[in-house]
Amino acid sequence: GDPPPFFAGLSWYMCKPPKLGIQWNGLIGWIDHQFLDALIQKSVDSAMTRMILPHRRVKLMTGSEVFKDIIQPKPRGCLLVTVLECDSLVGTEYTLRSLLTGQRTTDPYVRINFGAVSWRTSTIDDDTNPQWVDRNTVLLLVDIPEQQELGLHVFDDGLRQRMKIKLGVEEHH
């Protein structure tokens, strides 16, 4: 038989970031803790980024260069995502035009998450039927298609959201 080690090395990773379920007790349970939950989740996401595909942790058991595929195997494919438009979004903001039309507006952008990759479109101001023509395409590497999940979310980039981004917290939907 083969002399030890019987395998060249180990490779471990996560297909998607872990999600926390936090239960607050005592006095803090009475307050709105969404901000704290989002801040803690963002810290966990930041710490775990190096473990989520396409990143991997590796321990080689031999010194051979033959086993480079363990460290960074070739992806199984690529996924090209192009964001074109949204239709009939719910307006959450009033503008001067809202006084005349009675219709609220929104400042939408799209966030795409795929493994450790997070990407966003540009913001389209004051539009409930936005169309993206610039910065609207992203190329994603696919390692394990049956386990990797694509997250696609539409957010309003209004004043409240801009303040959260400045504070370093993004809403999770």
Side-chain angles (χ1 to χ4, degrees), residues 134-153:
D134 294 325
R135 293 184 24 196
N136 65 333
T137 300
V138 62
L139 182 65
L140 304 165
L141 296 179
V142 179
D143 285 302
I144 307 172
E146 56 277 355
Q147 293 182 17
Q148 288 179 279
E149 293 180 4
L150 178 72
L152 187 139
H153 305 282

Side-chain angles (χ1 to χ4, degrees), residues 37-48 168:
D37 290 351
L39 189 62
I40 292 168
Q41 184 66 53
K42 182 177 181 185
S43 296
V44 169
D45 289 350
S46 177
M48 299 305 290

Side-chain angles (χ1 to χ4, degrees), residues 91-154:
T92 58
E93 301 170 358
Y94 289 100
T95 63
L96 188 56
R97 186 174 58 186
S98 300
L99 297 174
L100 301 173
T101 65
Q103 296 177 339
R104 292 184 283 180
T105 186
T106 188
D107 304 318
Y109 69 93
V110 176
R111 164 120 9 236
I112 292 177
N113 297 310
F114 191 71
V117 176
S118 183
W119 174 86
R120 71 166 274 179
T121 65
S122 59
T123 299
I124 306 292
D125 292 324
D126 301 325
D127 199 339
T128 56
N129 299 298
Q131 296 181 340
W132 285 269
V133 292
D134 294 325
R135 293 184 24 196
N136 65 333
T137 300
V138 62
L139 182 65
L140 304 165
L141 296 179
V142 179
D143 285 302
I144 307 172
E146 56 277 355
Q147 293 182 17
Q148 288 179 279
E149 293 180 4
L150 178 72
L152 187 139
H153 305 282
V154 179

